[in-house]
Amino acid sequence: MPPQIDRTVPPTGGSPERGVTATTFAVLRRHRGSVAGATARVVSLCGLVALLTTATIFALAWPVFTHMRNQRIWYHHAEDPYLHDNTDLALVALGTLPLFLLLLGTGSAALQTVCSRAVAAGTHGHAQEDESRVAVAARLRRVLAVYVLRGLIVWPLPVLAAVVAHRLTGYQLDTPEPLERGSWPHALVEASPAAAVAIAVLLRLALSLAPAAAAGLGPRAALRRSWSLTWTRPGFARVLALALPLAALTAGTVRLATELCLPLRPVVRTLLEQATGNFFAAYYAGILAPVLVGVLVAAAVTLPLTFTAFAALHDHLRSARTRPLRAEDAPGVRGGP
């Protein structure tokens, strides 16, 4: 395999470098038209695809809702309380989760590509129209590949730890075997998911700059670039200082948007129950409606800011690394020509 060539150009010029926050808002202000247009197109398309996908899944899972309705009628006839079992629905949701992750990853990669190009245009003076559609599509594929590789690195450990801990210490066990409750092996296994999540968070932070690095590198080279830039004292501190407020902003926006969309729940439930006569399908559709709208609204508000900020941070950290090398090679400096 030929070596990956970094096609990004470090910023030149003698002007002092602006901070990450100033660079982020300057880029968003200068390219607000292209970023806002791309955000509207991506979020609208993802919302439409998510709606069609959810409707298809509900149609395929309709026998499950029908079984719930029939069981409810039978228990009501027998004058017994009915507590429906949603295990089958949980399995359906788990099986269709990769579809929504693919949709989320594709939309995020498209926005990441636009924001990275905007940062490159703002810091290096490149026009966004310089890249052809083929180049933009190639960058989009690299960002998607980075998402896939990063997910395979970050998430298997906490998922495996949670499954093992549930098998060994879950309340479904009628006996203390194979681990005795109250013993230190039981306590260690029970705490292992939290430790695995902490490790996953550190890995996720270390690889958070990889999508921005994919603008000029292949997927594996971008992951290595992010790892090398982050695992330094200033690099990790700056990544953490940027990630914490952005994560809080995203979580708060999702919560606020979902709460504001809660009036959709009774509307969707009433309309669907009148149209289908199935209470359970209408009930779960009413639960999903405000969540779906809230996630889309939060994505439109926070993702452009987040992607632009991390692209600007990647540019700053890379520039800080290459600047001493350029100074050493300058004429009149020891070791230079």
Side-chain angles (χ1 to χ4, degrees):
M1 177 181 292
Q4 296 288 341
I5 300 175
D6 188 356
R7 290 179 286 273
T8 57
V9 180
T12 57
S15 59
E17 197 175 9
R18 289 181 297 187
V20 173
T21 303
T23 301
T24 299
F25 286 103
V27 168
L28 290 176
R29 183 171 58 253
R30 181 179 179 182
H31 301 279
R32 57 184 177 274
S34 59
V35 173
T39 302
R41 290 192 298 270
V42 171
V43 171
S44 300
L45 183 59
C46 288
L48 178 60
V49 175
L51 179 61
L52 294 177
T53 303
T54 304
T56 303
I57 293 171
F58 267 65
L60 294 176
W62 203 257
V64 178
F65 296 120
T66 302
H67 177 72
M68 290 180 177
R69 183 194 61 187
N70 295 338
Q71 287 289 103
R72 182 189 185 190
I73 294 174
W74 189 87
Y75 274 88
H76 180 72
H77 180 72
E79 298 182 351
D80 288 333
Y82 171 61
L83 298 177
H84 71 279
D85 184 9
N86 57 5
T87 304
D88 293 336
L89 282 181
L91 294 177
V92 172
L94 185 62
T96 56
L97 180 62
L99 296 176
F100 291 96
L101 292 179
L102 177 62
L103 177 61
L104 178 63
T106 304
S108 299
L111 280 180
Q112 177 75 63
T113 302
V114 173
C115 295
S116 297
R117 293 176 64 202
V119 171
T123 57
H124 307 318
H126 298 165
Q128 284 188 288
E129 292 78 15
D130 289 347
E131 294 188 17
S132 63
R133 291 185 178 180
V134 176
V136 173
R139 179 183 290 192
L140 178 61
R141 288 194 297 269
R142 290 197 299 268
V143 175
L144 272 175
V146 165
Y147 284 167
V148 173
L149 291 177
R150 188 171 64 181
L152 293 176
I153 293 172
V154 172
W155 297 116
L157 179 61
V159 171
L160 180 63
V163 171
V164 172
H166 181 70
R167 290 295 182 90
L168 296 180
T169 64
Y171 288 102
Q172 79 281 359
L173 299 175
D174 296 330
T175 63
E177 299 294 338
L179 296 177
E180 182 181 358
R181 287 187 171 88
S183 63
W184 65 266
H186 182 278
L188 288 178
V189 173
E190 194 174 28
S192 61
V197 169
I199 295 174
V201 169
L202 290 177
L203 289 175
R204 179 63 177 79
L205 287 173
L207 302 177
S208 58
L209 302 177
L217 298 172
R220 289 181 295 179
L223 292 172
R224 289 193 296 268
R225 163 75 68 78
S226 178
W227 183 273
S228 63
L229 290 178
T230 303
W231 284 120
T232 60
R233 183 175 299 177
F236 184 79
R238 296 183 72 177
V239 168
L240 186 62
L242 183 63
L244 288 179
L246 288 176
L249 175 65
T250 302
T253 306
V254 171
R255 178 63 183 272
L256 177 62
T258 304
E259 291 291 332
L260 292 177
C261 294
L262 283 181
L264 287 175
R265 181 171 294 176
V267 175
V268 172
R269 186 169 56 200
T270 302
L271 291 177
L272 192 58
E273 186 175 7
Q274 290 177 352
T276 63
N278 194 311
F279 166 79
F280 293 101
Y283 172 76
Y284 284 104
I287 291 177
L288 290 177
V291 175
L292 178 60
V293 176
V295 169
L296 291 174
V297 171
V301 173
T302 61
L303 287 187
L305 175 63
T306 300
F307 293 154
T308 304
F310 275 102
L313 178 59
H314 167 262
D315 187 77
H316 279 239
L317 293 177
R318 184 175 56 85
S319 301
R321 169 174 291 186
T322 57
R323 193 180 303 112
L325 298 178
R326 296 198 301 270
E328 292 175 2
D329 293 339
V333 180
R334 187 178 62 180

